[in-house]
Amino acid sequence: MGQPAQPLDATPLEAGSPYELRVDNAKHLPESSRHAAIASGDVGFLHSFTTGSTVDGPGVRLVAWTTLCMFRCQFCHNPDTWTLSNGIPVTIGKAIDELRKYEHGLKVMKGGFTLSGGEPLMQARFAARLFAAAKELGLHTAIESNGFYGERLSDEELRNIDLFILDMKGFSSDQHKRVTAGIDNAPVLEFARRLSLMRRPMWLRYVLVPGLTDVPEEMEQLAHFAASLDIVERAEILPFHQIGRYKWEKLGIDYILSSTDPPSEESVARAIGIFRAAGLNAN
Ligand code: SF4
């Protein structure tokens, strides 16, 4: 696929935050062009690039947010990243130019490049090429992923990623299906085991939602599994919030958690305690 035609009122690639609602940026591209882009990785579909993040890996990060995800988690705060057609079509060359633009600053600030989403490995060819380019520039690289499509990257491609931030939704298949759109997590656990065998550093993320993921047995099992991998440098308990609620409303998607409150300080502390009790560095 060559240079994609941009719509006249093209959305800027850079955003102040991933919480900006972005829709229909690739709607003008025929389905066949989108499929060709995904297959080759010549073009990626991105919600945006953001700069200055200090939470998406070590140091200060440049983050590219991909579109496309089939998990449809009940607590997702960026549902506009679910569909490819909402993403801005960006050639791999243009994406690498963005890395070059920030290369020096990222190194000075001991940061790097993070690919997030959406689910970045639903655009695995684009992700693999972008990580290879980032490593050639000498950047630290990280991916934030739900882990379901890890088998789409070869071992060699995985070695271009310095840190795997796995957003895990639960341990049992039943719980995982409840939180997502009925998706089994066997491939996620398998990918985590593969990372362990390859000794790739990992951070675990767990969104704590009252009445949904605030389930002690699930957290205990997940924590013990994570500890057994022996590669998890930290476990982050992320309290559920409602920053993304307006996106669900604007997109007209039924939002089951519309009146769910953030977890109490006590329940966050209890969750952290469960992960710590398994021997993890949790916060
Ligand atoms: S995996 Fe992430 S991007 Fe996908 S639906 Fe869940 S929270 Fe949203």
Side-chain angles (χ1 to χ4, degrees), residues 66 68-79 81-82 117-119 145-146 167 169 179-180 207 248:
T66 57
L68 200 56
C69 185
M70 47 51 130
F71 264 35
R72 300 202 174 2
C73 303
Q74 289 187 37
F75 54 68
C76 185
H77 48 235
N78 285 317
T81 64
W82 288 356
E119 173 43 51
S145 169
N146 62 34
D167 296 314
K169 325 291 180 188
V179 174
T180 62
V207 179
W248 290 77

Side-chain angles (χ1 to χ4, degrees), residues 74-76 240-242 245 248 253-258:
Q74 289 187 37
F75 54 68
C76 185
F240 169 71
H241 58 67
Q242 288 284 9
R245 176 164 56 194
W248 290 77
I253 312 171
D254 193 21
Y255 185 35
I256 297 170
L257 302 181
S258 63

Side-chain angles (χ1 to χ4, degrees), residues 2 13 36 40 53 67 110 125 200 205 255 257 263:
L13 189 51
S40 67
S53 165
T67 53
K110 299 195 184 327
R125 289 307 90 216
R200 307 307 296 156
R205 281 191 168 161
Y255 185 35
L257 302 181

Side-chain angles (χ1 to χ4, degrees), residues 164-182:
F164 294 80
I165 304 174
L166 278 202
D167 296 314
M168 300 184 83
K169 325 291 180 188
F171 184 75
S172 71
S173 178
D174 282 349
Q175 172 69 358
H176 200 269
K177 286 178 178 167
R178 194 171 303 123
V179 174
T180 62

Side-chain angles (χ1 to χ4, degrees), residues 81-261:
T81 64
W82 288 356
T83 51
L84 199 71
S85 61
N86 282 345
I88 302 168
V90 182
T91 62
I92 185 71
K94 166 82 177 139
I96 294 169
D97 285 347
E98 286 291 305
L99 300 184
R100 281 206 194 94
K101 199 157 90 185
Y102 296 102
E103 175 193 346
H104 178 67
L106 293 172
K107 287 177 183 168
V108 168
M109 293 182 285
K110 299 195 184 327
F113 167 63
T114 301
L115 190 63
S116 186
E119 173 43 51
L121 294 184
M122 291 193 82
Q123 302 187 50
R125 289 307 90 216
F126 182 78
R129 292 172 68 177
L130 201 48
F131 280 126
K135 287 318 293 176
E136 272 183 29
L137 294 172
L139 291 172
H140 178 278
T141 54
I143 188 168
E144 278 181 79
S145 169
N146 62 34
F148 193 87
Y149 294 104
E151 38 81 29
R152 292 186 177 184
L153 295 186
S154 68
D155 287 357
E156 192 185 343
E157 288 166 343
L158 288 182
R159 286 193 194 93
N160 282 332
I161 305 174
D162 297 311
L163 174 66
F164 294 80
I165 304 174
L166 278 202
D167 296 314
M168 300 184 83
K169 325 291 180 188
F171 184 75
S172 71
S173 178
D174 282 349
Q175 172 69 358
H176 200 269
K177 286 178 178 167
R178 194 171 303 123
V179 174
T180 62
I183 293 162
D184 180 43
N185 65 340
V188 178
L189 302 180
E190 193 48 44
F191 182 52
R193 289 189 196 100
R194 182 175 166 211
L195 293 178
S196 172
L197 284 174
M198 292 181 66
R199 309 304 303 159
R200 307 307 296 156
M202 178 180 150
W203 292 2
L204 181 158
R205 281 191 168 161
Y206 189 81
V207 179
L208 191 68
V209 188
L212 182 66
T213 64
D214 195 357
V215 183
E217 313 82 68
E218 278 294 326
M219 289 189 278
E220 278 161 20
Q221 292 183 72
L222 183 59
H224 282 290
F225 170 76
S228 75
L229 298 173
D230 199 27
I231 52 166
V232 178
E233 296 177 345
R234 64 164 82 170
E236 296 180 331
I237 309 305
L238 307 180
F240 169 71
H241 58 67
Q242 288 284 9
I243 296 174
R245 176 164 56 194
Y246 86 99
K247 288 193 176 186
W248 290 77
E249 289 165 359
K250 290 261 183 196
L251 294 168
I253 312 171
D254 193 21
Y255 185 35
I256 297 170
L257 302 181
S258 63
S259 49
T260 299
D261 290 324

